[in-house]
């Protein structure tokens, strides 16, 4: 299957982008593996005719929004982020009516139509910078309440969160951190900002997935407890074979992220399926929100 994928990739002039949470064998065949921000940047800069996106719905949609003239494929249309489904365009419009002076920051984990109703997007890598870049006192932040509360720690603005959350990260409890620390007392604890505030309070570092890579590269520690989706362990082990990484619990899995398989990648390239399409009016407005984000620098 890997040989077929490599051949098809050339025939189709395709680039394969994969998120850090994808299955190990998918990460290994990808041209580029990264976080939401890095993948959006790659998608905005690629010369390839076809972008095959191994990730969840909103990530492939972002690639399509940024590249209206390219073919963007998602191998499995059931790979949908449940947090992105927690806010709709209609609900956001209602919230905007309630807070007419606020600007809207939407996490990239949202549908294209929610992005189109937002002033600017953010990812876990730049949420604080994006919020602080705005010329306003009040910010509506959708859909992740945990990321909103995390960003609120670093700004004087009033941040009003939508009541959404990531089921995978929200279930990492403070007790999971204390238990993991008992098992690995010398390890540094890194968690994703989609975790609950009380879980974040116990961590040594709070980073999006690429931020974790940069932190481990710079750290003198040899051991790390990783408070994010399990696919991240493969990425870290590949980059740093000399260091040890421990999952915070056995349950930190995002089921939609695991849906894409090698066979689906073969079928996707062979049949040019499933093409991601965004209505033109939505695409244009959503692109404005993504472009504004891409102008704001990433966390250091
Ligand atoms: P990153 O952008 O940090 O990779 O996070 C994406 C995501 O979906 C986290 O659950
Ligand atoms: Fe969505 Fe959470 Fe999965 Fe990320 S880990 S794609 S936020 S459900």
């Amino acid at each position: 299957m890997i040989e077929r994928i490599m051949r098809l990739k050339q025939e189709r002039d395709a680039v394969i982008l994969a998120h850090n949470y994808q299955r190990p064998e998918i990460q290994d065949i990808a041209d580029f593996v990264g976080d939401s921000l890095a993948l959006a940047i790659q998608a905005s800069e690629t010369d390839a005719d076809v972008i095959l996106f191994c990730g969840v719905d909103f990530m492939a949609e972002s690639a399509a929004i940024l590249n209206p003239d390219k073919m963007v494929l998602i191998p499995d249309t059931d790979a949908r982020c449940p947090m992105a489904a927690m806010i709709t365009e209609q609900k956001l419009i209602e919230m905007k009516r309630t807070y007419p002076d606020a600007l809207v920051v939407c996490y990239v984990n949202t549908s294209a139509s929610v992005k189109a109703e937002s002033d600017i997007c953010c990812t876990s890598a730049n949420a604080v910078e994006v919020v602080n870049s705005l010329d306003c006192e009040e910010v509506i932040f959708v859909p992740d309440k945990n990321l909103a509360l995390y960003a609120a720690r670093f700004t004087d603005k009033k941040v009003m969160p939508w009541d959404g959350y990531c089921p995978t990260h929200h279930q990492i409890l403070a007790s999971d951190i204390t238990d993991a620390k008992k098992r690995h007392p010398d390890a540094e604890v890194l968690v994703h900002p989609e975790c609950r505030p009380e879980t974040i309070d116990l961590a040594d570092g709070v980073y999006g997935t690429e931020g974790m890579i940069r932190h481990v590269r710079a750290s003198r520690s040899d051991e790390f407890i990783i408070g994010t989706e399990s696919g991240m362990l493969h990425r870290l082990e590949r980059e740093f074979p000399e260091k040890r990484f421990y999952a915070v619990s056995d349950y930190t899995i995002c089921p939609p992220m695991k849906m894409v398989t090698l066979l689906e990648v073969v079928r996707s390239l062979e049949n040019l399926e499933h093409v991601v399409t965004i209505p033109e009016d939505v695409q244009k407005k959503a692109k404005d929100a993504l472009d504004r984000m891409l102008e704001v620098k990433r966390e250091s």
Side-chain angles (χ1 to χ4, degrees), residues 172-193:
I172 304 175
L173 304 178
S175 58
D176 290 318
I177 304 283
T178 44
D179 289 350
K181 274 175 139 172
K182 277 184 204 142
R183 291 194 298 276
H184 308 289
D186 297 329
E188 272 189 63
V189 179
L190 306 182
V191 303
H192 198 279

Side-chain angles (χ1 to χ4, degrees), residues 191-217:
V191 303
H192 198 279
E194 288 177 13
C195 291
R196 296 161 183 261
E198 61 272 26
T199 300
I200 285 177
D201 288 341
L202 295 180
D204 298 307
V206 184
Y207 298 105
T209 57
E210 260 341 273
M212 287 186 186
I213 299 277
R214 285 194 296 280
H215 177 89
V216 169
R217 185 170 291 126

Side-chain angles (χ1 to χ4, degrees), residues 103 105 126-141 145-161:
L103 292 179
V105 175
N126 58 19
V128 173
E129 285 79 3
V130 165
V131 167
N132 281 325
S133 74
L134 297 175
D135 190 12
C136 63
E137 284 171 15
E138 293 185 336
V139 172
I140 295 171
F141 194 109
K145 63 180 171 188
N146 289 330
L147 185 61
L149 292 173
Y150 181 68
R153 296 182 187 203
F154 303 97
T155 184
D156 295 333
K157 299 183 198 304
K158 185 176 175 200
V159 179
M160 291 168 291

Side-chain angles (χ1 to χ4, degrees), residues 9-82:
K9 216 164 62 103
Q10 280 200 325
E11 282 171 23
R12 301 295 193 199
D13 188 23
V15 64
I16 301 183
L17 306 183
H19 187 263
N20 287 323
Y21 297 161
Q22 288 288 289
R23 291 168 181 266
E25 64 272 27
I26 299 294
Q27 295 192 28
D28 293 348
I29 52 105
D31 296 298
F32 190 84
V33 184
D35 68 350
S36 308
L37 180 59
L39 295 173
I41 292 170
Q42 283 290 320
S44 68
E45 292 176 350
T46 184
D47 292 332
D49 288 342
V50 174
I51 301 172
L52 179 86
F53 210 109
C54 299
V56 289
D57 53 354
F58 72 82
M59 296 179 175
E61 277 191 6
S62 295
I65 291 164
L66 290 166
N67 289 284
D69 302 330
K70 289 192 194 294
M71 179 182 278
V72 178
L73 302 174
I74 185 159
D76 192 322
T77 50
D78 287 331
R80 292 195 292 267
C81 168

